[in-house]
Amino acid sequence: MEQSAQSGGKPIKVPGPDHPIDIVLNPNRVVVTVAGRVVADTHEALTLREAAYPPVQYIPRKDVDMTLLARTNHSTYCPYKGDCVYFSVSHGGERSVDAVWSYEAPYAAVKAIKDHLAFYPDRVDAPVDRPVS
């Protein structure tokens, strides 16, 4: 099912059997570090599974040290999720440029990821899932 967006005429696609998207609360603690410093630490990450892509952890902004991030001019568009903005991790060097993304006004089907951030695993130290203690 495809519709036209009201602004800019970008296509909007609704997840379905041909392109499923599932969002669930991750029962584990998720910690993200860059150059040995903790950038995010949460017990409230959301795991987004989309079609055949690897699962992505979306971390609430309140559990991310936003002082370590710098918003960049880079942006992308996903017809299932909407407009996406990016951040670099200030102390991460070249590897951490545009390492973090967020859908600040996600489409209704994925509204749960609003006010959440995701990290590219290869641009940060490996994100860690630990059992909740």
Side-chain angles (χ1 to χ4, degrees):
M1 180 183 305
E2 189 173 312
Q3 306 167 330
S4 288
Q6 292 179 348
S7 64
K10 294 178 182 174
I12 298 175
K13 295 184 179 181
V14 177
D18 59 329
H19 193 99
I21 296 179
D22 183 43
I23 302 170
V24 297
L25 182 65
N26 182 334
N28 298 322
R29 179 180 181 196
V30 175
V31 179
V32 178
T33 61
V34 174
R37 284 179 74 181
V38 174
V39 178
D41 187 345
T42 189
H43 293 276
E44 300 176 28
L46 298 175
T47 302
L48 183 144
R49 290 181 180 86
E50 179 177 1
Y53 299 112
V56 175
Q57 302 304 310
Y58 279 85
I59 299 172
R61 280 184 187 238
K62 69 179 183 65
D63 295 330
V64 176
D65 186 344
M66 296 299 291
T67 66
L68 300 177
L69 303 183
R71 191 175 184 132
T72 70
N73 291 325
H74 184 62
S75 65
T76 57
Y77 176 74
C78 171
Y80 293 96
K81 295 186 285 294
D83 291 309
C84 187
V85 299
Y86 288 79
F87 299 83
S88 294
V89 182
S90 305
H91 67 277
E94 199 60 35
R95 181 183 100 173
S96 294
V97 172
D98 295 325
V100 186
W101 74 90
S102 180
Y103 292 92
E104 294 179 330
Y107 292 147
V110 294
K111 67 183 176 193
I113 63 170
K114 181 174 177 29
D115 299 323
H116 287 66
L117 300 166
F119 294 77
Y120 283 109
D122 61 341
R123 297 188 192 180
V124 299
D125 303 343
V128 179
D129 283 5
R130 300 184 221 174
V132 174
S133 48

